[in-house]
Amino acid sequence: MLHPVPGSTGAAPPLLSLEDFTVAFAQGAGRTRVVHGIDLTLQRGEALGIVGESGCGKSVTWLAALRLLGKRAVTTGRVLLNGRDLSGFSERELADVRGGRIGLIFQDPTSCLNPILRIGTQIGEALRLHRGLTGKAAEREALRLLDRVGIADAPRRLRQHAHELSGGMNQRVMIAIALAGEPDVLVADEPTTALDATIQAQILDLIRDIRRDTGMGLVLISHDLGVIADLCDRVAVMYAGRVVETAATQDLLGSPRHPYTRGLLAALPSLEGPRVRLTPVGGTVPSPDAMPPGCAFAPRCAYAEAHCGNGIPVLQPAGTGHLSACRRLDALMGEWQRQAAREAGRHDPVVQDLDWPNRDRQRELSA
Amino acid sequence: MTPLLNVRDLACRYRVTGKRGETHWLHAVDGVNFTLDAGRTLGVVGESGCGKSTTAKLVLGLQPASRGRITFAGEPVSATRDSHWRAMRRRMQMVHQDPLAALDRRLTVGEQVIEPLIIHGLKGGPQTPRERALALFDAVGLRAAMFERYPHELSGGQRQRVVLARALVLDPELVVCDEPISALDVSVAAQVINLLQDLQGRFGMAYLFISHDLKVVRQIADEVAVMYLGRIVEQGAPDDLFHTPAHPYTEALVSAIPTVGQRDRKRIVLAGDPPNPVDRPAGCAFHPRCPRATAICRSEVPPLRPVAEGRLAACHLVPAVSARSAAA
């Protein structure tokens, strides 16, 4: 297994990338498009968070990319794993990718495990399919994996069934099964949402430890910005089937550059600081078959102007490695900076984003 | 002033049959005491299986307690479904987690908000039931045009507003909210939290607010009780309790919450799962997971006692203060 060296990933193709990827569902005679052309890359060993509210397409994107949604889901665009397009793969080749190169874990571990098979059988199946291990070798490896995911008394657990284990333990088993194929990347779809707070903390720590030991990449899909902030290097915020903002985690949370991201952060209650009234985002997420024209967020956006309804905003540079899809980006960034400066108590024109001068240059380069 | 709700030594146990047909007792709630004043909000937090939802059902008289006493506005609450029970149910209402499951899919939401008025025979009065329901629609921020819609035609946030309107149409003094925010998206959850606060300011009912989400409870509660395995282990004002937790369990629970702000905060990760309430550990129920447990924790049950002004904790390791100085 490769350990990533910081800064050495520049030349190599990204481990996983989505290019102009769309997903539509056949509905009667027509199709309803739910993911509208997204571009995402994951470098080797990177942890990418996908955040968004229900119905924004965050799970569907990754399930469709691995062709797990059946025939009703129609995709266009490319899904590249180490530069090879998965859409050209046969079902058999794809089966090796799923669970082999790309491990998957989901929200409800107990319903993901087969209720009538022993835990050991289910881990053994993954070991046989992806590593060709059987018999004693498979059992030794299964014991090692259970130990790795922090399950005590592994020999007894191998003989048990999912209903005999708690939710947290079942999620550990799911992670063990995902690790059985020694994947390059783990796609975790709301892995801790069904778990209690103290168990969630255990699972987040476990995923962090495994990544440190193996260099495994991570795509973490969650509605919880706290969970994303905990594990991810970079975050993509999705809204109504599009990526509206992406940046390094600290940048995104510290200086969000899209009104939706700012809205999400303002709507979150906090444990720290003074107790202030929450600022909710008005309205609700549009349904995929009733998308507003132009920017999908405009009807709920406090900063929207008439021209936001004309044409879909594209992602544009808003800082180093920071992209935001907002038609009013220029005006708003100035406004937010002045506001931040006022709140900091010093209206100093020198206090401005150091990335800002680079932005126009980046835009010229990308043009 | 007598509190609106007074709960003393409340317990509820269920009979569980073991693998060999033997009888075990599952102590879902095991000696809970609290009071709630009119117009105030008590938040109850804890992990699944800690007994918080059972407490809610007992308080509303939806199921009988095995021990203890509940008084609501000075009158005892029982689970016997007689006229007294029905009269009392009018004054205490409930809001559930999943609004779609709480609504009848075959009735328009307007009919469902009117229904409690008809059940309780409140058709008279200055307003017709329809006018009364429409006034509630307005109060919870639903347009009158929504009145004839069915639940599936509304969004999750709108449905939860309907459930709130239905709970408030009888003008209750107590609303028990069991995870009312958990099924909602972040941006909509904030709308409903603000709405709950506004409605309390306007109508003055008390909330017993049950949630696993500490951040939401801190936002809305005047006082917080932390439950673990059927008992309250710590109780106090939200900011005090979450910023300087006294009980090791509260401390771990607070530190387990991933936050957007402090990334490098030290986290206390508890080993293992919460124990099975059928097989409750001796002594302090938290001791097998407690990083600071000592010999006494394994043998003696710590009582819930004052540990600082306005703060109660059930832990042998936290020095008690006398009730007199705590009250001073």
Side-chain angles (χ1 to χ4, degrees), chain A residues 154-220:
Chain A
R156 185 168 67 93
R157 297 298 184 194
L158 282 182
R159 292 193 305 276
Q160 288 187 314
H161 294 85
H163 73 270
E164 295 173 275
L165 274 58
S166 66
M169 285 231 262
N170 278 331
Q171 194 60 290
R172 288 174 192 269
V173 170
M174 286 302 297
I175 294 173
I177 292 173
L179 292 179
E182 298 186 317
D184 298 328
V185 54
L186 179 70
V187 176
D189 189 356
E190 304 270 8
T192 58
T193 305
L195 304 177
D196 275 322
T198 59
I199 311 301
Q200 166 169 284
Q202 294 171 2
I203 299 293
L204 294 179
D205 273 22
L206 174 64
I207 294 176
R208 192 193 335 272
D209 283 355
I210 291 168
R211 280 189 12 87
R212 195 187 53 221
D213 293 352
T214 65
M216 178 179 73
L218 175 70
V219 175
L220 178 66

Coordinates of all heavy atoms in Angstrom, one line a residue, chain A residues 154-220:
Chain A
A154 N -12.4 -11.4 19.3 CA -12.6 -11.7 17.9 C -13.1 -13.1 17.5 O -14.0 -13.3 16.8 CB -11.4 -11.2 17.1
P155 N -12.4 -14.2 18.1 CA -12.8 -15.5 17.7 C -14.3 -15.8 18.0 O -15.0 -16.4 17.2 CB -12.0 -16.4 18.6 CG -10.8 -15.6 19.0 CD -11.3 -14.2 19.0
R156 N -14.8 -15.3 19.1 CA -16.3 -15.5 19.4 C -17.1 -14.7 18.4 O -18.1 -15.1 17.9 CB -16.5 -15.1 20.8 CG -18.0 -15.4 21.3 CD -18.1 -15.2 22.8 NE -17.9 -13.9 23.2 CZ -18.9 -13.0 23.4 NH1 -20.2 -13.4 23.2 NH2 -18.7 -11.8 23.8
R157 N -16.7 -13.4 18.2 CA -17.5 -12.5 17.3 C -17.6 -13.1 15.9 O -18.7 -12.9 15.3 CB -16.9 -11.1 17.2 CG -16.8 -10.4 18.6 CD -18.2 -10.1 19.1 NE -18.2 -9.4 20.3 CZ -19.2 -9.2 21.1 NH1 -20.3 -9.8 20.9 NH2 -19.1 -8.5 22.2
L158 N -16.6 -13.8 15.4 CA -16.6 -14.3 14.1 C -17.8 -15.3 13.9 O -18.3 -15.5 12.8 CB -15.3 -15.1 13.7 CG -14.1 -14.2 13.3 CD1 -12.9 -15.1 13.0 CD2 -14.5 -13.3 12.2
R159 N -18.2 -16.0 15.0 CA -19.2 -17.0 14.9 C -20.6 -16.4 15.2 O -21.6 -17.1 15.1 CB -19.0 -18.1 16.0 CG -17.7 -18.9 15.6 CD -17.7 -20.2 16.5 NE -17.8 -19.9 17.9 CZ -16.7 -19.6 18.6 NH1 -15.5 -19.5 18.1 NH2 -16.8 -19.3 19.9
Q160 N -20.7 -15.1 15.5 CA -21.9 -14.5 15.8 C -22.6 -13.9 14.6 O -22.0 -13.8 13.5 CB -21.8 -13.4 16.9 CG -21.4 -14.0 18.3 CD -21.4 -13.0 19.4 OE1 -20.8 -11.9 19.2 NE2 -22.1 -13.3 20.5
H161 N -23.9 -13.4 14.8 CA -24.7 -12.8 13.7 C -24.8 -11.3 14.0 O -24.7 -10.9 15.2 CB -26.0 -13.5 13.6 CG -25.9 -14.9 13.2 ND1 -25.7 -15.9 14.0 CD2 -26.0 -15.4 11.9 CE1 -25.7 -17.1 13.4 NE2 -25.8 -16.8 12.1
A162 N -25.3 -10.6 13.0 CA -25.3 -9.1 13.2 C -26.3 -8.7 14.3 O -26.0 -7.7 15.0 CB -25.8 -8.5 11.9
H163 N -27.4 -9.4 14.6 CA -28.3 -9.0 15.6 C -27.7 -9.2 17.0 O -28.3 -8.7 18.0 CB -29.6 -9.8 15.5 CG -29.5 -11.2 15.9 ND1 -29.2 -12.2 15.0 CD2 -29.7 -11.8 17.1 CE1 -29.2 -13.4 15.7 NE2 -29.5 -13.1 17.0
E164 N -26.6 -9.9 17.1 CA -26.0 -10.1 18.4 C -25.0 -9.0 18.8 O -24.4 -9.0 19.9 CB -25.3 -11.5 18.5 CG -26.3 -12.6 18.4 CD -25.6 -14.0 18.2 OE1 -25.2 -14.4 17.1 OE2 -25.4 -14.6 19.3
L165 N -24.8 -8.1 17.8 CA -23.8 -7.1 18.0 C -24.5 -5.7 18.0 O -25.6 -5.6 17.5 CB -22.8 -7.0 16.8 CG -21.6 -8.0 16.9 CD1 -21.9 -9.4 17.1 CD2 -20.7 -7.8 15.7
S166 N -23.9 -4.8 18.7 CA -24.5 -3.4 18.8 C -24.3 -2.7 17.4 O -23.5 -3.1 16.6 CB -23.8 -2.6 19.9 OG -22.5 -2.4 19.6
G167 N -24.9 -1.5 17.3 CA -24.8 -0.8 16.0 C -23.4 -0.3 15.8 O -22.9 -0.4 14.7
G168 N -22.7 0.1 16.8 CA -21.3 0.5 16.7 C -20.4 -0.6 16.3 O -19.5 -0.5 15.4
M169 N -20.7 -1.8 16.9 CA -19.8 -3.0 16.5 C -20.1 -3.4 15.1 O -19.2 -3.8 14.4 CB -20.2 -4.1 17.5 CG -19.5 -3.9 18.8 SD -18.6 -5.2 19.3 CE -19.8 -5.9 20.4
N170 N -21.4 -3.3 14.7 CA -21.7 -3.7 13.3 C -21.0 -2.7 12.3 O -20.6 -3.2 11.2 CB -23.2 -3.7 13.1 CG -23.9 -5.0 13.5 OD1 -23.2 -6.0 13.5 ND2 -25.1 -4.9 14.0
Q171 N -20.9 -1.5 12.7 CA -20.2 -0.5 11.8 C -18.7 -0.9 11.7 O -18.1 -0.8 10.7 CB -20.5 0.9 12.2 CG -20.1 2.0 11.1 CD -20.8 1.8 9.8 OE1 -20.6 0.9 9.1 NE2 -21.6 2.8 9.5
R172 N -18.2 -1.3 12.9 CA -16.8 -1.8 12.9 C -16.6 -3.0 11.9 O -15.6 -3.1 11.2 CB -16.4 -2.2 14.3 CG -16.2 -0.9 15.2 CD -15.9 -1.4 16.6 NE -15.9 -0.3 17.5 CZ -14.9 0.5 17.9 NH1 -13.7 0.3 17.4 NH2 -15.1 1.5 18.7
V173 N -17.6 -3.9 12.0 CA -17.6 -5.1 11.1 C -17.6 -4.6 9.6 O -16.9 -5.1 8.8 CB -18.7 -6.1 11.4 CG1 -18.8 -7.1 10.3 CG2 -18.6 -6.7 12.8
M174 N -18.5 -3.7 9.3 CA -18.6 -3.2 8.0 C -17.3 -2.6 7.5 O -16.8 -2.8 6.4 CB -19.7 -2.1 7.9 CG -21.1 -2.5 7.9 SD -21.5 -3.7 6.6 CE -21.3 -2.7 5.1
I175 N -16.6 -1.9 8.4 CA -15.3 -1.3 8.1 C -14.3 -2.4 7.9 O -13.5 -2.4 6.9 CB -14.8 -0.3 9.2 CG1 -15.8 0.9 9.2 CG2 -13.4 0.1 9.0 CD1 -15.5 1.9 10.4
A176 N -14.4 -3.5 8.7 CA -13.5 -4.6 8.5 C -13.7 -5.3 7.2 O -12.7 -5.6 6.5 CB -13.7 -5.7 9.6
I177 N -15.0 -5.4 6.7 CA -15.2 -6.0 5.4 C -14.7 -5.1 4.3 O -14.1 -5.5 3.3 CB -16.8 -6.2 5.3 CG1 -17.2 -7.3 6.2 CG2 -17.1 -6.6 3.8 CD1 -18.7 -7.5 6.3
A178 N -14.9 -3.8 4.5 CA -14.3 -2.8 3.5 C -12.8 -2.9 3.4 O -12.2 -2.8 2.4 CB -14.8 -1.4 3.9
L179 N -12.2 -3.1 4.6 CA -10.7 -3.2 4.6 C -10.2 -4.5 4.1 O -9.0 -4.6 3.7 CB -10.2 -3.0 6.1 CG -10.4 -1.6 6.7 CD1 -9.8 -1.7 8.1 CD2 -9.7 -0.6 5.9
A180 N -11.1 -5.5 4.0 CA -10.6 -6.8 3.6 C -10.1 -6.8 2.2 O -9.2 -7.5 1.8 CB -11.8 -7.8 3.6
G181 N -10.6 -5.9 1.3 CA -10.1 -5.8 0.0 C -8.9 -4.9 -0.2 O -8.5 -4.6 -1.3
E182 N -8.4 -4.4 0.9 CA -7.3 -3.4 0.9 C -7.5 -2.3 -0.1 O -6.8 -2.1 -1.0 CB -5.9 -4.1 0.7 CG -5.6 -5.1 1.7 CD -4.2 -5.7 1.6 OE1 -3.9 -6.1 0.4 OE2 -3.5 -5.8 2.6
P183 N -8.6 -1.6 0.1 CA -9.0 -0.6 -0.9 C -8.1 0.7 -0.9 O -7.4 0.9 0.1 CB -10.4 -0.2 -0.5 CG -10.4 -0.3 1.0 CD -9.5 -1.5 1.2
D184 N -8.0 1.4 -2.0 CA -7.3 2.6 -2.1 C -8.1 3.8 -1.5 O -7.5 4.8 -1.1 CB -6.9 2.9 -3.6 CG -6.1 1.9 -4.2 OD1 -5.2 1.3 -3.5 OD2 -6.2 1.6 -5.4
V185 N -9.4 3.6 -1.6 CA -10.3 4.6 -1.1 C -11.5 4.0 -0.4 O -12.0 3.0 -0.9 CB -10.6 5.6 -2.2 CG1 -11.2 4.9 -3.4 CG2 -11.6 6.7 -1.7
L186 N -11.9 4.6 0.6 CA -13.1 4.2 1.3 C -14.2 5.3 1.1 O -14.0 6.5 1.3 CB -12.9 4.1 2.8 CG -14.1 3.7 3.7 CD1 -14.5 2.2 3.4 CD2 -13.7 3.9 5.2
V187 N -15.3 4.9 0.5 CA -16.5 5.8 0.3 C -17.4 5.5 1.5 O -18.0 4.4 1.6 CB -17.2 5.6 -1.0 CG1 -18.4 6.5 -1.1 CG2 -16.2 5.9 -2.2
A188 N -17.5 6.5 2.4 CA -18.3 6.3 3.6 C -19.5 7.2 3.5 O -19.4 8.5 3.6 CB -17.5 6.6 4.8
D189 N -20.7 6.7 3.4 CA -21.9 7.4 3.2 C -22.6 7.5 4.6 O -23.3 6.6 5.1 CB -22.8 6.7 2.2 CG -24.0 7.6 1.8 OD1 -24.2 8.7 2.4 OD2 -24.8 7.2 0.9
E190 N -22.5 8.7 5.2 CA -23.1 8.9 6.6 C -22.8 7.8 7.5 O -23.7 7.2 8.1 CB -24.7 9.1 6.5 CG -25.1 10.1 5.5 CD -25.3 11.5 6.1 OE1 -25.0 11.7 7.3 OE2 -25.8 12.4 5.5
P191 N -21.5 7.5 7.7 CA -21.1 6.3 8.5 C -21.5 6.3 9.9 O -21.6 5.3 10.6 CB -19.6 6.2 8.3 CG -19.2 7.6 8.1 CD -20.3 8.2 7.3
T192 N -21.7 7.5 10.5 CA -22.0 7.6 11.9 C -23.3 8.2 12.3 O -23.7 8.4 13.4 CB -20.9 8.5 12.6 OG1 -20.9 9.8 12.0 CG2 -19.5 7.9 12.4
T193 N -24.1 8.4 11.2 CA -25.4 9.1 11.5 C -26.4 8.3 12.3 O -27.1 8.9 13.1 CB -26.1 9.5 10.1 OG1 -25.1 10.2 9.3 CG2 -27.3 10.3 10.3
A194 N -26.3 7.0 12.2 CA -27.3 6.2 13.0 C -26.7 5.8 14.4 O -27.3 5.1 15.1 CB -27.6 4.9 12.2
L195 N -25.5 6.3 14.7 CA -24.8 5.9 15.9 C -24.9 7.0 17.0 O -25.1 8.2 16.7 CB -23.4 5.6 15.6 CG -23.1 4.6 14.5 CD1 -21.6 4.4 14.3 CD2 -23.7 3.2 14.9
D196 N -24.8 6.6 18.2 CA -24.8 7.5 19.3 C -23.5 8.3 19.4 O -22.5 7.9 18.8 CB -25.0 6.7 20.6 CG -26.4 6.5 21.0 OD1 -27.2 7.3 20.7 OD2 -26.7 5.4 21.5
A197 N -23.6 9.5 20.1 CA -22.5 10.4 20.1 C -21.2 9.7 20.5 O -20.1 9.9 19.8 CB -22.8 11.6 21.0
T198 N -21.2 9.0 21.6 CA -19.9 8.4 22.1 C -19.4 7.3 21.1 O -18.2 7.1 20.9 CB -20.0 7.8 23.5 OG1 -21.0 6.8 23.5 CG2 -20.4 8.9 24.5
I199 N -20.3 6.6 20.4 CA -20.0 5.6 19.5 C -19.5 6.3 18.2 O -18.5 5.8 17.6 CB -21.1 4.7 19.2 CG1 -21.8 4.2 20.5 CG2 -20.7 3.5 18.3 CD1 -20.8 3.4 21.4
Q200 N -20.1 7.4 17.8 CA -19.7 8.1 16.6 C -18.2 8.5 16.8 O -17.4 8.4 15.9 CB -20.6 9.4 16.5 CG -20.0 10.4 15.5 CD -20.9 11.5 15.1 OE1 -21.8 11.3 14.3 NE2 -20.8 12.6 15.7
A201 N -17.9 9.0 18.0 CA -16.5 9.5 18.3 C -15.5 8.3 18.1 O -14.5 8.4 17.6 CB -16.4 10.0 19.7
Q202 N -15.9 7.1 18.6 CA -15.1 5.9 18.4 C -14.9 5.6 16.9 O -13.7 5.3 16.5 CB -15.7 4.7 19.0 CG -15.9 4.7 20.5 CD -16.7 3.5 21.1 OE1 -17.1 2.7 20.3 NE2 -16.9 3.5 22.4
I203 N -15.9 5.6 16.1 CA -15.8 5.3 14.7 C -15.0 6.3 13.9 O -14.2 6.0 13.1 CB -17.2 5.1 14.1 CG1 -18.0 4.0 14.8 CG2 -17.1 4.8 12.6 CD1 -17.4 2.6 14.6
L204 N -15.2 7.6 14.3 CA -14.4 8.6 13.6 C -12.9 8.4 13.9 O -12.1 8.6 13.0 CB -14.9 10.0 14.0 CG -16.3 10.4 13.6 CD1 -16.6 11.8 14.1 CD2 -16.4 10.4 12.1
D205 N -12.6 8.1 15.2 CA -11.2 7.9 15.5 C -10.6 6.7 14.8 O -9.5 6.7 14.4 CB -11.1 7.7 17.0 CG -10.9 9.0 17.8 OD1 -11.3 10.0 17.2 OD2 -10.4 9.0 18.9
L206 N -11.5 5.6 14.7 CA -11.0 4.4 14.0 C -10.7 4.7 12.5 O -9.6 4.3 12.0 CB -12.1 3.3 14.1 CG -11.9 2.1 13.3 CD1 -10.6 1.3 13.9 CD2 -13.1 1.1 13.4
I207 N -11.6 5.4 11.9 CA -11.3 5.8 10.4 C -10.0 6.6 10.3 O -9.2 6.4 9.5 CB -12.5 6.5 9.8 CG1 -13.8 5.6 9.8 CG2 -12.2 7.0 8.4 CD1 -15.0 6.2 9.3
R208 N -9.9 7.5 11.2 CA -8.7 8.4 11.2 C -7.4 7.5 11.4 O -6.4 7.7 10.7 CB -8.7 9.4 12.3 CG -7.7 10.5 12.2 CD -7.6 11.4 13.5 NE -8.8 11.4 14.3 CZ -9.8 12.3 14.1 NH1 -9.7 13.2 13.2 NH2 -10.8 12.2 14.9
D209 N -7.4 6.6 12.4 CA -6.3 5.7 12.6 C -5.9 4.9 11.4 O -4.8 4.7 11.1 CB -6.6 4.8 13.8 CG -6.5 5.5 15.1 OD1 -6.1 6.7 15.1 OD2 -6.8 4.9 16.2
I210 N -7.0 4.3 10.8 CA -6.7 3.4 9.7 C -6.1 4.2 8.5 O -5.2 3.7 7.8 CB -8.1 2.7 9.2 CG1 -8.5 1.7 10.3 CG2 -7.9 2.0 7.9 CD1 -9.9 1.2 10.1
R211 N -6.6 5.4 8.3 CA -6.0 6.2 7.2 C -4.6 6.6 7.5 O -3.8 6.6 6.6 CB -6.9 7.5 7.1 CG -8.1 7.3 6.3 CD -8.9 8.5 5.9 NE -8.3 9.8 6.1 CZ -7.5 10.3 5.2 NH1 -7.2 9.8 4.1 NH2 -6.9 11.5 5.5
R212 N -4.3 6.8 8.8 CA -2.9 7.1 9.1 C -2.0 5.9 8.9 O -0.9 6.1 8.4 CB -2.8 7.6 10.6 CG -1.5 8.3 11.0 CD -1.5 8.5 12.5 NE -1.7 7.2 13.2 CZ -2.5 7.1 14.3 NH1 -3.1 8.1 14.8 NH2 -2.6 5.9 14.9
D213 N -2.5 4.7 9.2 CA -1.7 3.5 9.0 C -1.5 3.1 7.6 O -0.5 2.6 7.2 CB -2.3 2.4 9.8 CG -2.2 2.6 11.3 OD1 -1.5 3.6 11.7 OD2 -2.8 1.8 12.1
T214 N -2.6 3.2 6.8 CA -2.6 2.6 5.4 C -2.5 3.7 4.3 O -2.3 3.3 3.2 CB -3.9 1.8 5.2 OG1 -5.0 2.7 5.2 CG2 -4.1 0.8 6.3
G215 N -2.7 4.9 4.6 CA -2.7 5.9 3.6 C -4.0 5.8 2.7 O -4.0 6.4 1.6
M216 N -5.0 5.1 3.1 CA -6.2 5.0 2.4 C -6.9 6.3 2.2 O -7.0 7.1 3.1 CB -7.1 4.0 3.1 CG -8.5 3.8 2.5 SD -9.4 2.6 3.6 CE -9.8 3.6 5.0
G217 N -7.4 6.6 1.0 CA -8.2 7.8 0.7 C -9.6 7.7 1.3 O -10.0 6.6 1.6
L218 N -10.3 8.8 1.4 CA -11.6 8.8 2.0 C -12.5 9.7 1.3 O -12.1 10.9 1.0 CB -11.5 9.1 3.5 CG -12.8 9.3 4.3 CD1 -13.5 7.9 4.5 CD2 -12.6 9.9 5.6
V219 N -13.7 9.2 0.9 CA -14.8 10.1 0.5 C -15.8 10.0 1.6 O -16.4 9.0 1.8 CB -15.3 9.8 -0.9 CG1 -16.5 10.7 -1.2 CG2 -14.3 9.9 -2.0
L220 N -16.0 11.1 2.3 CA -16.9 11.0 3.5 C -18.2 11.9 3.1 O -18.1 13.1 2.9 CB -16.3 11.6 4.7 CG -17.1 11.7 6.0 CD1 -17.5 10.3 6.4 CD2 -16.4 12.4 7.1

